[in-house]
Amino acid sequence: MEEDRIDTKLVHSGEKPCPLTRALRVPVYMTSTFVYENFDELMKGRYFYTRIQNPTLEVLEEKLAEIEGGERALVTASGMAAITIAVMSCLEKDGRVVTSDIIYGGTHDLFTKILPRLGFEVSYVDFGDISRLEEELKRGASVVYFESPANPTMKVIDIEEVSKVAHEAGVTVLFDNTFATPYCQQPLRLGVDVNIESLTKYLSGHGDALGGAVIGRRDYILNLRGTWSTIFGATMSPLNAWLVLRGVKTLHVRMERHCRNAMVLAEFLEDHPKVKRVLYPGLPSHPQHEIAKKQMRCFGGMLSFEVENTTIAMNVMNNLRMSYIGVSLGDVETLVEWPAYMTHMTMPRKERRKLGITDTLIRVSVGLEDPDDIIEDFDQALSQA
Ligand SMILES: *Cc1c(COP(=O)(O)O)cnc(C)c1O
Protein backbone atom coordinates (compact mmCIF):
# COMPACT_ATOMS: atom_id res chain seq x y z
CA MET A 1 0.00 0.00 0.00
CA GLU A 2 1.14 3.47 -0.84
CA GLU A 3 0.44 4.85 2.62
CA ASP A 4 3.02 2.47 4.05
CA ARG A 5 5.71 4.93 2.98
CA ILE A 6 4.08 7.73 4.95
CA ASP A 7 7.19 8.12 7.18
CA THR A 8 9.25 9.38 4.24
CA LYS A 9 6.44 11.60 3.02
CA LEU A 10 6.08 13.19 6.45
CA VAL A 11 9.77 14.10 6.39
CA HIS A 12 10.22 15.13 2.75
CA SER A 13 6.96 15.89 0.93
CA GLY A 14 6.40 19.46 -0.17
CA GLU A 15 9.77 20.68 1.08
CA LYS A 16 13.01 21.36 -0.69
CA PRO A 17 15.99 23.61 0.17
CA CYS A 18 15.77 27.21 -1.04
CA PRO A 19 17.62 27.36 -4.41
CA LEU A 20 18.95 30.85 -3.58
CA THR A 21 20.23 30.49 -0.01
CA ARG A 22 20.31 26.67 0.40
CA ALA A 23 18.29 27.08 3.60
CA LEU A 24 16.89 23.65 4.43
CA ARG A 25 13.79 25.08 6.10
CA VAL A 26 11.17 27.16 4.36
CA PRO A 27 11.18 30.67 5.88
CA VAL A 28 8.19 32.14 7.70
CA TYR A 29 7.00 34.55 5.02
CA MET A 30 5.49 36.92 7.55
CA THR A 31 4.20 39.42 5.04
CA SER A 32 0.69 40.55 4.22
CA THR A 33 1.45 41.72 0.70
CA PHE A 34 3.74 40.98 -2.26
CA VAL A 35 4.93 43.89 -4.42
CA TYR A 36 6.14 44.28 -8.00
CA GLU A 37 8.23 46.81 -9.95
CA ASN A 38 5.88 46.96 -12.93
CA PHE A 39 2.71 45.45 -14.37
CA ASP A 40 4.54 42.89 -16.47
CA GLU A 41 6.05 41.41 -13.32
CA LEU A 42 2.72 41.61 -11.51
CA MET A 43 1.02 39.68 -14.31
CA LYS A 44 3.61 36.92 -13.95
CA GLY A 45 3.39 37.04 -10.15
CA ARG A 46 2.36 34.07 -8.06
CA TYR A 47 1.62 35.77 -4.75
CA PHE A 48 -0.32 38.96 -4.13
CA TYR A 49 -1.83 38.99 -0.67
CA THR A 50 -1.53 36.47 2.15
CA ARG A 51 -5.30 36.09 2.63
CA ILE A 52 -5.25 34.47 -0.84
CA GLN A 53 -1.92 32.62 -0.77
CA ASN A 54 1.50 32.68 0.92
CA PRO A 55 4.61 30.55 0.20
CA THR A 56 4.89 29.14 3.75
CA LEU A 57 1.27 27.99 3.65
CA GLU A 58 1.81 26.51 0.21
CA VAL A 59 4.60 24.21 1.43
CA LEU A 60 2.37 22.87 4.21
CA GLU A 61 -0.48 22.39 1.73
CA GLU A 62 1.70 20.38 -0.66
CA LYS A 63 2.91 18.23 2.19
CA LEU A 64 -0.59 17.51 3.50
CA ALA A 65 -1.98 16.70 0.04
CA GLU A 66 0.76 14.11 -0.52
CA ILE A 67 0.47 12.59 2.95
CA GLU A 68 -3.30 12.19 2.69
CA GLY A 69 -3.34 11.00 -0.92
CA GLY A 70 -5.39 14.00 -2.09
CA GLU A 71 -4.97 16.19 -5.16
CA ARG A 72 -4.87 19.49 -3.27
CA ALA A 73 -5.03 20.89 0.25
CA LEU A 74 -6.07 24.19 1.78
CA VAL A 75 -4.88 25.23 5.23
CA THR A 76 -7.01 27.47 7.45
CA ALA A 77 -6.80 29.46 10.68
CA SER A 78 -8.33 26.64 12.75
CA GLY A 79 -10.06 23.29 12.44
CA MET A 80 -13.43 25.01 12.88
CA ALA A 81 -12.65 27.42 10.02
CA ALA A 82 -11.88 24.38 7.84
CA ILE A 83 -15.10 22.58 8.82
CA THR A 84 -17.26 25.68 8.39
CA ILE A 85 -16.11 26.57 4.88
CA ALA A 86 -15.82 22.95 3.73
CA VAL A 87 -19.46 22.28 4.67
CA MET A 88 -20.91 25.64 3.59
CA SER A 89 -19.25 25.50 0.17
CA CYS A 90 -21.33 22.37 -0.56
CA LEU A 91 -24.66 23.98 0.35
CA GLU A 92 -27.02 25.76 -2.01
CA LYS A 93 -30.52 27.07 -1.36
CA ASP A 94 -32.52 24.53 0.70
CA GLY A 95 -29.38 22.46 1.18
CA ARG A 96 -29.43 19.60 3.64
CA VAL A 97 -26.68 18.07 5.79
CA VAL A 98 -26.98 14.47 6.94
CA THR A 99 -24.57 14.11 9.84
CA SER A 100 -23.50 11.41 12.21
CA ASP A 101 -25.21 12.05 15.57
CA ILE A 102 -21.90 12.03 17.41
CA ILE A 103 -19.56 14.82 16.38
CA TYR A 104 -17.13 17.37 17.79
CA GLY A 105 -18.79 20.00 20.03
CA GLY A 106 -17.85 22.95 17.79
CA THR A 107 -19.22 21.20 14.71
CA HIS A 108 -22.40 20.39 16.63
CA ASP A 109 -22.72 24.13 17.41
CA LEU A 110 -22.27 25.03 13.72
CA PHE A 111 -24.97 22.49 12.80
CA THR A 112 -27.44 23.56 15.50
CA LYS A 113 -26.83 27.31 15.89
CA ILE A 114 -25.83 28.59 12.46
CA LEU A 115 -26.92 26.36 9.56
CA PRO A 116 -30.64 26.16 10.56
CA ARG A 117 -30.75 29.99 10.89
CA LEU A 118 -29.62 30.25 7.28
CA GLY A 119 -32.37 27.90 6.14
CA PHE A 120 -30.34 24.70 5.87
CA GLU A 121 -31.71 21.47 7.28
CA VAL A 122 -29.46 19.26 9.40
CA SER A 123 -30.46 15.66 10.12
CA TYR A 124 -28.71 13.57 12.77
CA VAL A 125 -28.40 9.86 12.11
CA ASP A 126 -26.69 6.93 13.83
CA PHE A 127 -24.15 6.04 11.11
CA GLY A 128 -23.69 2.63 12.71
CA ASP A 129 -27.11 1.80 11.25
CA ILE A 130 -26.48 1.80 7.49
CA SER A 131 -30.05 1.03 6.40
CA ARG A 132 -31.27 3.99 8.46
CA LEU A 133 -28.71 6.18 6.66
CA GLU A 134 -29.83 4.84 3.27
CA GLU A 135 -33.43 5.68 4.20
CA GLU A 136 -32.43 9.21 5.24
CA LEU A 137 -30.53 9.81 2.00
CA LYS A 138 -33.64 9.00 -0.04
CA ARG A 139 -34.97 12.41 1.04
CA GLY A 140 -31.99 13.99 -0.74
CA ALA A 141 -28.92 15.64 0.78
CA SER A 142 -26.04 17.95 -0.14
CA VAL A 143 -23.51 16.61 2.34
CA VAL A 144 -22.86 13.51 4.41
CA TYR A 145 -20.67 14.43 7.39
CA PHE A 146 -18.99 12.25 10.03
CA GLU A 147 -15.98 11.43 12.25
CA SER A 148 -14.40 8.18 13.37
CA PRO A 149 -13.29 7.51 16.06
CA ALA A 150 -15.89 10.01 17.24
CA ASN A 151 -15.48 12.48 20.06
CA PRO A 152 -15.79 11.62 22.95
CA THR A 153 -17.31 8.12 22.96
CA MET A 154 -14.70 6.71 20.55
CA LYS A 155 -17.46 5.21 18.41
CA VAL A 156 -16.01 3.79 15.19
CA ILE A 157 -17.94 4.07 11.92
CA ASP A 158 -17.28 2.05 8.76
CA ILE A 159 -15.86 4.74 6.45
CA GLU A 160 -15.93 2.62 3.27
CA GLU A 161 -19.52 1.56 3.79
CA VAL A 162 -20.83 5.06 4.58
CA SER A 163 -18.98 6.51 1.56
CA LYS A 164 -20.42 3.84 -0.71
CA VAL A 165 -24.00 4.41 0.42
CA ALA A 166 -23.60 8.21 0.12
CA HIS A 167 -22.12 7.95 -3.37
CA GLU A 168 -24.94 5.67 -4.50
CA ALA A 169 -27.25 8.51 -3.47
CA GLY A 170 -25.02 11.02 -5.30
CA VAL A 171 -24.00 12.87 -2.13
CA THR A 172 -20.57 14.39 -1.29
CA VAL A 173 -18.87 12.87 1.76
CA LEU A 174 -17.00 15.08 4.25
CA PHE A 175 -14.98 13.56 7.08
CA ASP A 176 -13.15 14.88 10.17
CA ASN A 177 -9.98 12.82 10.74
CA THR A 178 -8.61 14.80 13.69
CA PHE A 179 -8.71 11.97 16.26
CA ALA A 180 -7.02 9.37 14.06
CA THR A 181 -4.60 11.56 12.03
CA PRO A 182 -3.36 10.49 8.57
CA TYR A 183 -0.80 8.25 10.28
CA CYS A 184 -3.48 5.96 11.74
CA GLN A 185 -6.17 6.32 9.07
CA GLN A 186 -6.40 7.61 5.50
CA PRO A 187 -10.03 8.52 4.76
CA LEU A 188 -9.51 9.66 1.14
CA ARG A 189 -8.23 6.17 0.35
CA LEU A 190 -11.33 4.71 2.03
CA GLY A 191 -13.72 6.63 -0.21
CA VAL A 192 -14.49 10.01 1.37
CA ASP A 193 -14.46 13.01 -0.98
CA VAL A 194 -13.17 15.64 1.41
CA ASN A 195 -10.99 15.09 4.46
CA ILE A 196 -10.63 17.65 7.24
CA GLU A 197 -7.99 17.85 9.97
CA SER A 198 -7.61 20.16 12.93
CA LEU A 199 -3.87 20.82 12.71
CA THR A 200 -4.07 22.19 16.26
CA LYS A 201 -4.03 18.66 17.61
CA TYR A 202 -1.67 15.79 16.66
CA LEU A 203 -0.40 17.23 13.39
CA SER A 204 1.25 20.20 15.07
CA GLY A 205 1.53 18.05 18.18
CA HIS A 206 3.06 20.51 20.60
CA GLY A 207 0.06 22.59 21.65
CA ASP A 208 1.49 25.84 20.30
CA ALA A 209 -0.52 26.70 17.16
CA LEU A 210 -4.07 26.68 15.84
CA GLY A 211 -4.74 25.46 12.34
CA GLY A 212 -7.00 23.44 10.08
CA ALA A 213 -6.80 21.72 6.71
CA VAL A 214 -9.16 20.53 3.99
CA ILE A 215 -7.85 17.96 1.52
CA GLY A 216 -9.64 16.78 -1.61
CA ARG A 217 -10.01 17.07 -5.36
CA ARG A 218 -8.39 19.91 -7.25
CA ASP A 219 -11.54 21.74 -8.36
CA TYR A 220 -13.15 21.54 -4.95
CA ILE A 221 -10.06 22.93 -3.18
CA LEU A 222 -9.47 25.68 -5.78
CA ASN A 223 -13.03 26.90 -5.27
CA LEU A 224 -12.65 26.64 -1.51
CA ARG A 225 -9.52 28.79 -1.61
CA GLY A 226 -10.58 31.29 -4.26
CA THR A 227 -14.07 31.88 -2.94
CA TRP A 228 -14.68 30.65 0.59
CA SER A 229 -11.36 30.99 2.40
CA THR A 230 -10.53 34.29 0.71
CA ILE A 231 -13.93 35.87 1.38
CA PHE A 232 -14.34 34.55 4.93
CA GLY A 233 -10.70 35.39 5.70
CA ALA A 234 -10.17 31.88 7.05
CA THR A 235 -6.45 32.07 6.20
CA MET A 236 -3.86 30.55 8.51
CA SER A 237 -1.03 32.68 9.90
CA PRO A 238 2.32 31.89 8.17
CA LEU A 239 3.95 31.56 11.60
CA ASN A 240 1.42 28.90 12.60
CA ALA A 241 1.96 27.09 9.30
CA TRP A 242 5.68 27.03 10.03
CA LEU A 243 5.08 25.61 13.52
CA VAL A 244 2.75 22.95 12.09
CA LEU A 245 5.35 22.05 9.45
CA ARG A 246 7.87 21.50 12.23
CA GLY A 247 5.42 19.26 14.06
CA VAL A 248 4.14 17.25 11.08
CA LYS A 249 7.64 16.00 10.25
CA THR A 250 7.66 13.81 13.38
CA LEU A 251 3.99 12.71 13.30
CA HIS A 252 4.88 9.06 12.69
CA VAL A 253 7.32 8.91 15.61
CA ARG A 254 4.93 10.63 17.99
CA MET A 255 1.83 8.67 16.91
CA GLU A 256 3.57 5.36 17.44
CA ARG A 257 4.21 6.32 21.06
CA HIS A 258 0.77 7.92 21.54
CA CYS A 259 -0.80 4.66 20.33
CA ARG A 260 1.43 2.48 22.50
CA ASN A 261 0.88 4.59 25.63
CA ALA A 262 -2.88 4.70 25.01
CA MET A 263 -3.05 0.91 24.66
CA VAL A 264 -1.09 0.42 27.90
CA LEU A 265 -3.34 2.87 29.79
CA ALA A 266 -6.50 1.34 28.27
CA GLU A 267 -5.48 -2.13 29.44
CA PHE A 268 -4.61 -0.84 32.91
CA LEU A 269 -7.95 0.98 33.27
CA GLU A 270 -9.92 -1.99 31.97
CA ASP A 271 -8.58 -4.11 34.85
CA HIS A 272 -9.17 -1.45 37.51
CA PRO A 273 -12.03 -2.16 39.95
CA LYS A 274 -13.11 1.51 40.07
CA VAL A 275 -13.47 1.74 36.28
CA LYS A 276 -16.80 0.66 34.82
CA ARG A 277 -15.93 0.70 31.15
CA VAL A 278 -13.05 1.70 28.86
CA LEU A 279 -13.62 2.90 25.32
CA TYR A 280 -10.53 2.50 23.13
CA PRO A 281 -10.77 1.19 19.54
CA GLY A 282 -7.66 -0.97 20.12
CA LEU A 283 -9.30 -3.02 22.87
CA PRO A 284 -11.05 -6.24 21.76
CA SER A 285 -13.91 -5.19 24.09
CA HIS A 286 -14.58 -2.05 22.01
CA PRO A 287 -17.98 -2.51 20.30
CA GLN A 288 -16.57 -1.71 16.83
CA HIS A 289 -13.09 -3.19 17.29
CA GLU A 290 -13.41 -5.24 14.08
CA ILE A 291 -14.23 -2.17 11.96
CA ALA A 292 -11.36 -0.28 13.62
CA LYS A 293 -8.94 -3.09 12.70
CA LYS A 294 -10.15 -2.99 9.11
CA GLN A 295 -9.66 0.75 8.54
CA MET A 296 -6.99 1.88 11.01
CA ARG A 297 -3.27 1.16 10.96
CA CYS A 298 -3.14 1.75 14.71
CA PHE A 299 -5.71 3.04 17.18
CA GLY A 300 -4.62 6.53 18.18
CA GLY A 301 -3.90 8.28 21.44
CA MET A 302 -7.46 9.05 22.59
CA LEU A 303 -9.52 6.98 25.01
CA SER A 304 -12.48 7.48 27.34
CA PHE A 305 -13.54 5.67 30.48
CA GLU A 306 -16.50 5.60 32.80
CA VAL A 307 -16.53 5.45 36.56
CA GLU A 308 -19.39 4.68 39.00
CA ASN A 309 -20.58 8.22 39.77
CA THR A 310 -19.84 11.92 39.21
CA THR A 311 -18.14 12.32 42.61
CA ILE A 312 -15.59 9.67 41.69
CA ALA A 313 -15.17 11.25 38.24
CA MET A 314 -14.44 14.66 39.75
CA ASN A 315 -12.11 13.20 42.38
CA VAL A 316 -10.12 11.25 39.78
CA MET A 317 -9.49 14.40 37.76
CA ASN A 318 -8.68 16.49 40.83
CA ASN A 319 -6.30 13.83 42.13
CA LEU A 320 -4.17 13.57 39.01
CA ARG A 321 -0.70 14.93 39.75
CA MET A 322 1.13 14.79 36.41
CA SER A 323 -1.75 14.89 33.90
CA TYR A 324 -3.54 18.17 33.37
CA ILE A 325 -7.22 18.99 33.01
CA GLY A 326 -7.65 20.63 29.61
CA VAL A 327 -9.84 20.54 26.54
CA SER A 328 -7.34 20.12 23.73
CA LEU A 329 -5.75 16.87 22.61
CA GLY A 330 -2.79 15.50 20.73
CA ASP A 331 -0.23 17.39 22.80
CA VAL A 332 2.89 15.84 24.33
CA GLU A 333 1.38 16.12 27.84
CA THR A 334 -1.43 13.82 29.01
CA LEU A 335 -4.67 15.84 29.18
CA VAL A 336 -8.00 14.80 30.68
CA GLU A 337 -11.38 16.39 30.24
CA TRP A 338 -14.95 15.84 31.40
CA PRO A 339 -17.15 15.99 28.26
CA ALA A 340 -20.50 16.47 30.05
CA TYR A 341 -19.17 19.51 31.92
CA MET A 342 -16.60 20.80 29.43
CA THR A 343 -16.56 20.10 25.67
CA HIS A 344 -20.16 18.87 25.38
CA MET A 345 -21.73 21.16 27.98
CA THR A 346 -23.92 22.97 25.44
CA MET A 347 -25.54 19.70 24.32
CA PRO A 348 -28.80 18.99 26.23
CA ARG A 349 -28.30 16.23 28.82
CA LYS A 350 -31.04 14.05 27.28
CA GLU A 351 -29.27 14.13 23.93
CA ARG A 352 -25.89 13.45 25.56
CA ARG A 353 -27.29 10.41 27.38
CA LYS A 354 -28.73 9.01 24.15
CA LEU A 355 -25.27 9.21 22.57
CA GLY A 356 -23.51 7.60 25.51
CA ILE A 357 -21.89 10.83 26.73
CA THR A 358 -22.74 10.10 30.34
CA ASP A 359 -21.91 12.40 33.26
CA THR A 360 -19.32 9.90 34.45
CA LEU A 361 -17.35 9.70 31.20
CA ILE A 362 -13.76 11.00 31.30
CA ARG A 363 -11.77 11.58 28.09
CA VAL A 364 -8.00 11.18 28.03
CA SER A 365 -5.54 12.43 25.43
CA VAL A 366 -2.65 10.12 26.30
CA GLY A 367 0.66 11.98 26.10
CA LEU A 368 4.24 11.01 25.45
CA GLU A 369 5.42 10.56 29.04
CA ASP A 370 6.86 7.25 30.25
CA PRO A 371 3.89 4.84 30.28
CA ASP A 372 4.74 3.78 33.85
CA ASP A 373 4.38 7.38 35.03
CA ILE A 374 1.01 7.72 33.27
CA ILE A 375 -0.26 4.51 34.88
CA GLU A 376 1.06 5.49 38.31
CA ASP A 377 -0.70 8.84 38.01
CA PHE A 378 -4.09 7.27 37.16
CA ASP A 379 -3.57 4.52 39.75
CA GLN A 380 -3.04 6.95 42.61
CA ALA A 381 -5.85 9.21 41.36
CA LEU A 382 -8.33 6.31 41.21
CA SER A 383 -7.31 4.72 44.49
CA GLN A 384 -8.05 7.94 46.40
CA ALA A 385 -11.22 8.71 44.51
C1 LIG B 1 -10.31 20.31 17.98
C2 LIG B 1 -11.17 19.65 17.00
C3 LIG B 1 -11.78 20.38 15.97
C4 LIG B 1 -11.64 21.88 15.84
O1 LIG B 1 -10.34 22.28 15.65
P1 LIG B 1 -9.79 23.75 16.08
O2 LIG B 1 -8.43 23.78 15.49
O3 LIG B 1 -9.82 23.80 17.58
O4 LIG B 1 -10.72 24.74 15.49
C5 LIG B 1 -12.57 19.70 15.09
N1 LIG B 1 -12.78 18.37 15.19
C6 LIG B 1 -12.22 17.64 16.16
C7 LIG B 1 -12.49 16.17 16.21
C8 LIG B 1 -11.40 18.24 17.11
O5 LIG B 1 -10.87 17.51 18.09
Side-chain angles (χ1 to χ4, degrees):
M1 274 192 299
E2 233 186 297
E3 68 251 46
D4 286 339
R5 297 282 174 95
I6 191 172
D7 299 22
T8 308
K9 287 184 187 164
L10 286 164
V11 174
H12 287 285
S13 286
E15 298 185 71
K16 39 185 177 320
C18 170
L20 203 67
T21 64
R22 302 307 298 165
L24 177 57
R25 291 281 161 267
V26 63
V28 194
Y29 284 98
M30 213 60 189
T31 182
S32 52
T33 194
F34 299 83
V35 294
Y36 297 93
E37 299 288 340
N38 55 56
F39 277 99
D40 257 9
E41 259 188 36
L42 177 94
M43 289 301 170
K44 284 186 247 148
R46 181 152 175 195
Y47 307 104
F48 306 99
Y49 192 58
T50 287
R51 179 150 48 76
I52 305 164
Q53 189 52 293
N54 173 290
T56 312
L57 306 190
E58 210 166 56
V59 171
L60 179 57
E61 286 170 346
E62 271 182 50
K63 196 176 199 72
L64 292 172
E66 279 190 43
I67 289 163
E68 305 255 3
E71 287 177 11
R72 286 282 204 288
L74 169 78
V75 292
T76 55
S78 68
M80 277 314 298
I83 292 165
T84 303
I85 62 171
V87 171
M88 290 191 72
S89 75
C90 296
L91 298 174
E92 290 182 18
K93 192 173 182 302
D94 302 323
R96 180 162 179 266
V97 177
V98 173
T99 178
S100 162
D101 52 9
I102 177 135
I103 47 171
Y104 177 70
T107 314
H108 187 265
D109 285 347
L110 169 71
F111 288 175
T112 52
K113 293 182 180 158
I114 294 186
L115 296 189
R117 253 189 73 163
L118 302 177
F120 301 118
E121 191 189 326
V122 182
S123 299
Y124 301 84
V125 180
D126 172 2
F127 278 27
D129 184 348
I130 288 291
S131 51
R132 169 87 178 76
L133 175 63
E134 270 178 309
E135 233 10 76
E136 194 65 35
L137 291 173
K138 282 191 185 137
R139 289 181 47 211
S142 330
V143 172
V144 160
Y145 185 95
F146 68 123
E147 309 171 6
S148 174
N151 182 26
T153 61
M154 308 307 296
K155 178 175 172 167
V156 173
I157 293 162
D158 192 322
I159 300 172
E160 261 177 325
E161 197 167 39
V162 167
S163 304
K164 190 170 140 262
V165 165
H167 288 153
E168 278 163 9
V171 184
T172 306
V173 181
L174 271 63
F175 186 85
D176 178 345
N177 197 40
T178 302
F179 265 38
T181 81
Y183 182 75
C184 299
Q185 175 172 282
Q186 303 238 310
L188 293 174
R189 296 182 209 274
L190 294 165
V192 317
D193 299 297
V194 177
N195 188 44
I196 301 163
E197 308 272 0
S198 166
L199 304 176
T200 313
K201 315 296 169 57
Y202 289 103
L203 280 108
S204 77
H206 296 76
D208 51 15
L210 282 173
V214 188
I215 306 104
R217 279 190 277 279
R218 184 178 173 276
D219 290 353
Y220 174 84
I221 298 294
L222 290 185
N223 175 53
L224 205 59
R225 177 195 312 290
T227 304
W228 293 83
S229 179
T230 299
I231 294 174
F232 276 53
T235 318
M236 187 184 216
S237 158
L239 180 57
N240 283 3
W242 188 86
L243 287 167
V244 174
L245 267 170
R246 188 163 75 159
V248 166
K249 295 169 93 66
T250 56
L251 181 71
H252 50 309
V253 185
R254 289 184 288 107
M255 283 321 290
E256 240 175 62
R257 266 301 284 279
H258 278 299
C259 292
R260 190 148 36 99
N261 284 0
M263 191 68 193
V264 169
L265 181 62
E267 284 173 343
F268 166 79
L269 292 172
E270 195 162 49
D271 286 339
H272 200 286
K274 284 204 179 146
V275 175
K276 247 172 69 184
R277 194 155 74 116
V278 182
L279 296 162
Y280 181 63
L283 288 176
S285 61
H286 186 282
Q288 296 94 30
H289 179 59
E290 289 308 314
I291 304 173
K293 275 204 299 196
K294 189 179 76 164
Q295 65 193 18
M296 300 180 82
R297 174 214 292 265
C298 48
F299 305 104
M302 299 299 298
L303 65 84
S304 294
F305 66 99
E306 265 179 340
V307 290
E308 235 16 273
N309 59 54
T310 50
T311 311
I312 296 179
M314 190 179 321
N315 289 342
V316 169
M317 283 182 285
N318 284 338
N319 291 346
L320 287 165
R321 288 185 191 140
M322 179 183 73
S323 314
Y324 292 106
I325 302 174
V327 289
S328 196
L329 56 109
D331 290 354
V332 286
E333 296 86 359
T334 295
L335 301 175
V336 299
E337 74 107 359
W338 201 359
Y341 296 93
M342 292 165 69
T343 49
H344 291 67
M345 199 177 58
T346 59
M347 194 184 269
R349 173 173 283 168
K350 211 172 116 218
E351 202 180 321
R352 279 202 310 260
R353 286 250 170 85
K354 210 179 91 206
L355 300 174
I357 310 172
T358 60
D359 290 356
T360 59
L361 188 78
I362 298 172
R363 189 189 80 180
V364 188
S365 167
V366 186
L368 298 180
E369 300 94 343
D370 188 307
D372 290 340
D373 284 325
I374 299 174
I375 285 176
E376 273 174 35
D377 199 18
F378 279 83
D379 197 16
Q380 63 82 23
L382 279 159
S383 69
Q384 299 170 61

